[in-house]
PDB file of all heavy atoms in Angstrom:
ATOM      1  N   ALA A 347     -75.606 -38.987  27.627  1.00 77.00           N
ATOM      2  CA  ALA A 347     -76.789 -38.588  26.854  1.00 77.00           C
ATOM      3  C   ALA A 347     -77.098 -37.111  27.067  1.00 77.00           C
ATOM      4  O   ALA A 347     -76.925 -36.571  28.152  1.00 77.00           O
ATOM      5  CB  ALA A 347     -77.991 -39.428  27.275  1.00 77.00           C
ATOM      6  N   GLY A 348     -77.551 -36.471  26.003  1.00 69.00           N
ATOM      7  CA  GLY A 348     -78.101 -35.133  26.136  1.00 69.00           C
ATOM      8  C   GLY A 348     -77.133 -33.993  25.971  1.00 69.00           C
ATOM      9  O   GLY A 348     -77.546 -32.844  25.874  1.00 69.00           O
ATOM     10  N   TYR A 349     -75.842 -34.264  25.949  1.00 72.00           N
ATOM     11  CA  TYR A 349     -74.907 -33.161  25.757  1.00 72.00           C
ATOM     12  C   TYR A 349     -73.570 -33.701  25.246  1.00 72.00           C
ATOM     13  O   TYR A 349     -73.243 -34.874  25.389  1.00 72.00           O
ATOM     14  CB  TYR A 349     -74.690 -32.377  27.050  1.00 72.00           C
ATOM     15  CG  TYR A 349     -74.050 -33.158  28.166  1.00 72.00           C
ATOM     16  CD1 TYR A 349     -72.687 -33.100  28.395  1.00 72.00           C
ATOM     17  CD2 TYR A 349     -74.819 -33.958  29.016  1.00 72.00           C
ATOM     18  CE1 TYR A 349     -72.096 -33.817  29.422  1.00 72.00           C
ATOM     19  CE2 TYR A 349     -74.249 -34.668  30.055  1.00 72.00           C
ATOM     20  CZ  TYR A 349     -72.884 -34.580  30.254  1.00 72.00           C
ATOM     21  OH  TYR A 349     -72.303 -35.293  31.269  1.00 72.00           O
ATOM     22  N   GLN A 350     -72.792 -32.793  24.672  1.00 82.00           N
ATOM     23  CA  GLN A 350     -71.471 -33.149  24.178  1.00 82.00           C
ATOM     24  C   GLN A 350     -70.456 -33.054  25.315  1.00 82.00           C
ATOM     25  O   GLN A 350     -70.526 -32.164  26.149  1.00 82.00           O
ATOM     26  CB  GLN A 350     -71.043 -32.210  23.055  1.00 82.00           C
ATOM     27  CG  GLN A 350     -71.899 -32.278  21.807  1.00 82.00           C
ATOM     28  CD  GLN A 350     -71.349 -31.373  20.725  1.00 82.00           C
ATOM     29  OE1 GLN A 350     -70.351 -31.675  20.092  1.00 82.00           O
ATOM     30  NE2 GLN A 350     -72.011 -30.244  20.520  1.00 82.00           N
ATOM     31  N   GLN A 351     -69.529 -33.998  25.328  1.00 85.00           N
ATOM     32  CA  GLN A 351     -68.418 -33.936  26.263  1.00 85.00           C
ATOM     33  C   GLN A 351     -67.179 -33.488  25.492  1.00 85.00           C
ATOM     34  O   GLN A 351     -66.806 -34.089  24.489  1.00 85.00           O
ATOM     35  CB  GLN A 351     -68.139 -35.313  26.870  1.00 85.00           C
ATOM     36  CG  GLN A 351     -69.284 -35.880  27.673  1.00 85.00           C
ATOM     37  CD  GLN A 351     -69.069 -37.349  27.945  1.00 85.00           C
ATOM     38  OE1 GLN A 351     -69.633 -38.211  27.273  1.00 85.00           O
ATOM     39  NE2 GLN A 351     -68.252 -37.675  28.924  1.00 85.00           N
ATOM     40  N   PHE A 352     -66.574 -32.436  25.964  1.00 90.00           N
ATOM     41  CA  PHE A 352     -65.336 -31.983  25.340  1.00 90.00           C
ATOM     42  C   PHE A 352     -64.484 -31.352  26.428  1.00 90.00           C
ATOM     43  O   PHE A 352     -64.927 -30.427  27.116  1.00 90.00           O
ATOM     44  CB  PHE A 352     -65.615 -30.977  24.226  1.00 90.00           C
ATOM     45  CG  PHE A 352     -64.359 -30.498  23.541  1.00 90.00           C
ATOM     46  CD1 PHE A 352     -63.517 -31.396  22.903  1.00 90.00           C
ATOM     47  CD2 PHE A 352     -64.014 -29.157  23.543  1.00 90.00           C
ATOM     48  CE1 PHE A 352     -62.360 -30.963  22.278  1.00 90.00           C
ATOM     49  CE2 PHE A 352     -62.863 -28.709  22.924  1.00 90.00           C
ATOM     50  CZ  PHE A 352     -62.027 -29.615  22.285  1.00 90.00           C
ATOM     51  N   GLN A 353     -63.292 -31.871  26.593  1.00 90.00           N
ATOM     52  CA  GLN A 353     -62.418 -31.342  27.632  1.00 90.00           C
ATOM     53  C   GLN A 353     -60.969 -31.385  27.162  1.00 90.00           C
ATOM     54  O   GLN A 353     -60.511 -32.380  26.595  1.00 90.00           O
ATOM     55  CB  GLN A 353     -62.561 -32.157  28.920  1.00 90.00           C
ATOM     56  CG  GLN A 353     -61.752 -31.609  30.088  1.00 90.00           C
ATOM     57  CD  GLN A 353     -61.842 -32.501  31.310  1.00 90.00           C
ATOM     58  OE1 GLN A 353     -61.043 -33.423  31.479  1.00 90.00           O
ATOM     59  NE2 GLN A 353     -62.823 -32.237  32.163  1.00 90.00           N
ATOM     60  N   VAL A 354     -60.280 -30.303  27.394  1.00 93.00           N
ATOM     61  CA  VAL A 354     -58.846 -30.210  27.115  1.00 93.00           C
ATOM     62  C   VAL A 354     -58.156 -29.803  28.407  1.00 93.00           C
ATOM     63  O   VAL A 354     -58.573 -28.852  29.072  1.00 93.00           O
ATOM     64  CB  VAL A 354     -58.549 -29.189  26.006  1.00 93.00           C
ATOM     65  CG1 VAL A 354     -57.036 -29.065  25.799  1.00 93.00           C
ATOM     66  CG2 VAL A 354     -59.210 -29.605  24.703  1.00 93.00           C
ATOM     67  N   LYS A 355     -57.109 -30.544  28.781  1.00 93.00           N
ATOM     68  CA  LYS A 355     -56.344 -30.226  29.981  1.00 93.00           C
ATOM     69  C   LYS A 355     -54.870 -30.167  29.643  1.00 93.00           C
ATOM     70  O   LYS A 355     -54.381 -30.908  28.782  1.00 93.00           O
ATOM     71  CB  LYS A 355     -56.564 -31.280  31.076  1.00 93.00           C
ATOM     72  CG  LYS A 355     -57.915 -31.261  31.724  1.00 93.00           C
ATOM     73  CD  LYS A 355     -58.055 -32.392  32.745  1.00 93.00           C
ATOM     74  CE  LYS A 355     -57.099 -32.246  33.893  1.00 93.00           C
ATOM     75  NZ  LYS A 355     -57.300 -33.304  34.909  1.00 93.00           N
ATOM     76  N   GLY A 356     -54.165 -29.298  30.335  1.00 93.00           N
ATOM     77  CA  GLY A 356     -52.720 -29.231  30.177  1.00 93.00           C
ATOM     78  C   GLY A 356     -52.087 -28.705  31.442  1.00 93.00           C
ATOM     79  O   GLY A 356     -52.680 -27.881  32.155  1.00 93.00           O
ATOM     80  N   SER A 357     -50.899 -29.188  31.766  1.00 93.00           N
ATOM     81  CA  SER A 357     -50.213 -28.696  32.958  1.00 93.00           C
ATOM     82  C   SER A 357     -48.707 -28.798  32.776  1.00 93.00           C
ATOM     83  O   SER A 357     -48.208 -29.598  31.974  1.00 93.00           O
ATOM     84  CB  SER A 357     -50.648 -29.470  34.206  1.00 93.00           C
ATOM     85  OG  SER A 357     -50.133 -30.783  34.202  1.00 93.00           O
ATOM     86  N   PHE A 358     -48.011 -27.973  33.538  1.00 94.00           N
ATOM     87  CA  PHE A 358     -46.559 -27.963  33.564  1.00 94.00           C
ATOM     88  C   PHE A 358     -46.118 -28.024  35.021  1.00 94.00           C
ATOM     89  O   PHE A 358     -46.793 -27.500  35.906  1.00 94.00           O
ATOM     90  CB  PHE A 358     -46.003 -26.717  32.884  1.00 94.00           C
ATOM     91  CG  PHE A 358     -46.393 -26.583  31.446  1.00 94.00           C
ATOM     92  CD1 PHE A 358     -47.589 -25.970  31.092  1.00 94.00           C
ATOM     93  CD2 PHE A 358     -45.597 -27.109  30.451  1.00 94.00           C
ATOM     94  CE1 PHE A 358     -47.968 -25.863  29.769  1.00 94.00           C
ATOM     95  CE2 PHE A 358     -45.964 -27.002  29.124  1.00 94.00           C
ATOM     96  CZ  PHE A 358     -47.148 -26.378  28.776  1.00 94.00           C
ATOM     97  N   GLY A 359     -44.962 -28.654  35.259  1.00 93.00           N
ATOM     98  CA  GLY A 359     -44.518 -28.799  36.634  1.00 93.00           C
ATOM     99  C   GLY A 359     -43.029 -28.959  36.750  1.00 93.00           C
ATOM    100  O   GLY A 359     -42.281 -28.831  35.772  1.00 93.00           O
ATOM    101  N   ASN A 360     -42.593 -29.287  37.969  1.00 94.00           N
ATOM    102  CA  ASN A 360     -41.172 -29.402  38.254  1.00 94.00           C
ATOM    103  C   ASN A 360     -40.943 -30.470  39.314  1.00 94.00           C
ATOM    104  O   ASN A 360     -41.731 -30.595  40.260  1.00 94.00           O
ATOM    105  CB  ASN A 360     -40.630 -28.065  38.761  1.00 94.00           C
ATOM    106  CG  ASN A 360     -39.126 -28.088  38.936  1.00 94.00           C
ATOM    107  OD1 ASN A 360     -38.381 -28.095  37.959  1.00 94.00           O
ATOM    108  ND2 ASN A 360     -38.677 -28.083  40.180  1.00 94.00           N
ATOM    109  N   ASN A 361     -39.877 -31.235  39.128  1.00 93.00           N
ATOM    110  CA  ASN A 361     -39.429 -32.164  40.155  1.00 93.00           C
ATOM    111  C   ASN A 361     -38.260 -31.508  40.880  1.00 93.00           C
ATOM    112  O   ASN A 361     -37.229 -31.213  40.267  1.00 93.00           O
ATOM    113  CB  ASN A 361     -39.010 -33.501  39.546  1.00 93.00           C
ATOM    114  CG  ASN A 361     -38.567 -34.493  40.599  1.00 93.00           C
ATOM    115  OD1 ASN A 361     -37.433 -34.446  41.072  1.00 93.00           O
ATOM    116  ND2 ASN A 361     -39.461 -35.386  40.974  1.00 93.00           N
ATOM    117  N   PHE A 362     -38.415 -31.280  42.186  1.00 93.00           N
ATOM    118  CA  PHE A 362     -37.442 -30.458  42.906  1.00 93.00           C
ATOM    119  C   PHE A 362     -36.167 -31.226  43.247  1.00 93.00           C
ATOM    120  O   PHE A 362     -35.137 -30.599  43.538  1.00 93.00           O
ATOM    121  CB  PHE A 362     -38.079 -29.901  44.176  1.00 93.00           C
ATOM    122  CG  PHE A 362     -39.200 -28.931  43.888  1.00 93.00           C
ATOM    123  CD1 PHE A 362     -40.522 -29.294  44.102  1.00 93.00           C
ATOM    124  CD2 PHE A 362     -38.933 -27.686  43.374  1.00 93.00           C
ATOM    125  CE1 PHE A 362     -41.548 -28.418  43.831  1.00 93.00           C
ATOM    126  CE2 PHE A 362     -39.959 -26.796  43.097  1.00 93.00           C
ATOM    127  CZ  PHE A 362     -41.274 -27.157  43.322  1.00 93.00           C
ATOM    128  N   LEU A 363     -36.193 -32.544  43.224  1.00 92.00           N
ATOM    129  CA  LEU A 363     -34.967 -33.293  43.474  1.00 92.00           C
ATOM    130  C   LEU A 363     -34.026 -33.194  42.284  1.00 92.00           C
ATOM    131  O   LEU A 363     -32.816 -32.994  42.434  1.00 92.00           O
ATOM    132  CB  LEU A 363     -35.292 -34.765  43.763  1.00 92.00           C
ATOM    133  CG  LEU A 363     -34.081 -35.668  44.055  1.00 92.00           C
ATOM    134  CD1 LEU A 363     -33.390 -35.225  45.334  1.00 92.00           C
ATOM    135  CD2 LEU A 363     -34.499 -37.123  44.162  1.00 92.00           C
ATOM    136  N   LEU A 364     -34.581 -33.307  41.079  1.00 91.00           N
ATOM    137  CA  LEU A 364     -33.763 -33.281  39.868  1.00 91.00           C
ATOM    138  C   LEU A 364     -33.689 -31.899  39.243  1.00 91.00           C
ATOM    139  O   LEU A 364     -32.797 -31.645  38.416  1.00 91.00           O
ATOM    140  CB  LEU A 364     -34.331 -34.268  38.832  1.00 91.00           C
ATOM    141  CG  LEU A 364     -34.475 -35.728  39.263  1.00 91.00           C
ATOM    142  CD1 LEU A 364     -35.013 -36.553  38.111  1.00 91.00           C
ATOM    143  CD2 LEU A 364     -33.144 -36.282  39.743  1.00 91.00           C
ATOM    144  N   GLY A 365     -34.659 -31.038  39.558  1.00 91.00           N
ATOM    145  CA  GLY A 365     -34.708 -29.741  38.909  1.00 91.00           C
ATOM    146  C   GLY A 365     -35.115 -29.839  37.455  1.00 91.00           C
ATOM    147  O   GLY A 365     -34.719 -29.018  36.624  1.00 91.00           O
ATOM    148  N   LYS A 366     -35.943 -30.848  37.122  1.00 93.00           N
ATOM    149  CA  LYS A 366     -36.377 -31.052  35.740  1.00 93.00           C
ATOM    150  C   LYS A 366     -37.882 -30.836  35.631  1.00 93.00           C
ATOM    151  O   LYS A 366     -38.618 -31.034  36.587  1.00 93.00           O
ATOM    152  CB  LYS A 366     -35.999 -32.451  35.258  1.00 93.00           C
ATOM    153  CG  LYS A 366     -34.495 -32.660  35.145  1.00 93.00           C
ATOM    154  CD  LYS A 366     -34.161 -34.030  34.582  1.00 93.00           C
ATOM    155  CE  LYS A 366     -32.650 -34.195  34.412  1.00 93.00           C
ATOM    156  NZ  LYS A 366     -32.294 -35.518  33.841  1.00 93.00           N
ATOM    157  N   GLN A 367     -38.310 -30.444  34.416  1.00 93.00           N
ATOM    158  CA  GLN A 367     -39.694 -30.042  34.211  1.00 93.00           C
ATOM    159  C   GLN A 367     -40.568 -31.207  33.738  1.00 93.00           C
ATOM    160  O   GLN A 367     -40.110 -32.079  32.998  1.00 93.00           O
ATOM    161  CB  GLN A 367     -39.772 -28.903  33.190  1.00 93.00           C
ATOM    162  CG  GLN A 367     -39.365 -27.541  33.754  1.00 93.00           C
ATOM    163  CD  GLN A 367     -37.883 -27.474  34.112  1.00 93.00           C
ATOM    164  OE1 GLN A 367     -37.042 -27.786  33.277  1.00 93.00           O
ATOM    165  NE2 GLN A 367     -37.584 -27.099  35.351  1.00 93.00           N
ATOM    166  N   ASN A 368     -41.808 -31.173  34.156  1.00 94.00           N
ATOM    167  CA  ASN A 368     -42.815 -32.157  33.769  1.00 94.00           C
ATOM    168  C   ASN A 368     -43.930 -31.459  33.003  1.00 94.00           C
ATOM    169  O   ASN A 368     -44.193 -30.273  33.204  1.00 94.00           O
ATOM    170  CB  ASN A 368     -43.422 -32.832  35.000  1.00 94.00           C
ATOM    171  CG  ASN A 368     -42.375 -33.448  35.895  1.00 94.00           C
ATOM    172  OD1 ASN A 368     -41.397 -33.991  35.435  1.00 94.00           O
ATOM    173  ND2 ASN A 368     -42.586 -33.353  37.210  1.00 94.00           N
ATOM    174  N   PHE A 369     -44.595 -32.201  32.131  1.00 93.00           N
ATOM    175  CA  PHE A 369     -45.800 -31.659  31.503  1.00 93.00           C
ATOM    176  C   PHE A 369     -46.724 -32.807  31.125  1.00 93.00           C
ATOM    177  O   PHE A 369     -46.288 -33.946  30.929  1.00 93.00           O
ATOM    178  CB  PHE A 369     -45.468 -30.799  30.274  1.00 93.00           C
ATOM    179  CG  PHE A 369     -44.903 -31.561  29.106  1.00 93.00           C
ATOM    180  CD1 PHE A 369     -45.726 -32.109  28.132  1.00 93.00           C
ATOM    181  CD2 PHE A 369     -43.532 -31.721  28.975  1.00 93.00           C
ATOM    182  CE1 PHE A 369     -45.199 -32.805  27.054  1.00 93.00           C
ATOM    183  CE2 PHE A 369     -42.997 -32.421  27.899  1.00 93.00           C
ATOM    184  CZ  PHE A 369     -43.837 -32.952  26.937  1.00 93.00           C
TER     185      PHE A 369
END
Side-chain angles (χ1 to χ4, degrees):
Y349 64 96
Q350 296 183 75
Q351 298 166 260
F352 181 60
Q353 184 184 89
V354 177
K355 289 177 64 177
S357 71
F358 300 87
N360 186 72
N361 181 279
F362 294 107
L363 180 64
L364 303 181
K366 293 184 177 181
Q367 283 67 53
N368 305 323
F369 68 90

